[in-house]
Amino acid sequence: MKKQRGSKRAALAIGHSILAIYYQMMKTGKEYEEKGETLFPQADRAKLEHRLIKRLERLGYQVSLQALPGT
């Protein structure tokens, strides 16, 4: 973000993230829990699947998904 917006905005964004985390910790009374490396790739995959299905449906295809073994 620093390259795109500058160091001041990047610092402000980091501070906002920390404040939001702290607020949730105080509100719920729970300790901070790292979401892990797999959170975003899983969310991205679901969005990608949905977007590709919609695209195929707009092209006139009927889509049904079946996961391959081992994925």
Side-chain angles (χ1 to χ4, degrees):
M1 184 171 183
K2 183 178 174 182
K3 282 185 176 182
Q4 295 173 350
R5 305 279 183 171
S7 61
K8 288 184 181 181
R9 283 192 182 232
L12 187 63
I14 297 285
H16 180 267
S17 297
I18 291 170
L19 185 61
I21 291 169
Y22 182 74
Y23 174 76
Q24 285 298 318
M25 288 171 49
M26 294 297 108
K27 184 177 174 184
T28 61
K30 295 181 181 177
E31 291 186 15
Y32 176 71
E33 182 179 322
E34 184 69 36
K35 301 295 183 192
E37 297 176 4
T38 60
L39 177 68
F40 292 113
Q42 288 174 351
D44 291 343
R45 181 180 174 146
K47 286 181 185 179
L48 177 63
E49 287 175 358
H50 181 72
R51 188 171 56 242
L52 292 174
I53 289 169
K54 290 296 180 187
R55 188 173 180 185
L56 286 170
E57 287 174 347
R58 282 193 305 268
L59 291 171
Y61 291 95
Q62 182 178 358
V63 180
S64 62
L65 297 180
Q66 183 178 3
L68 294 173
T71 57

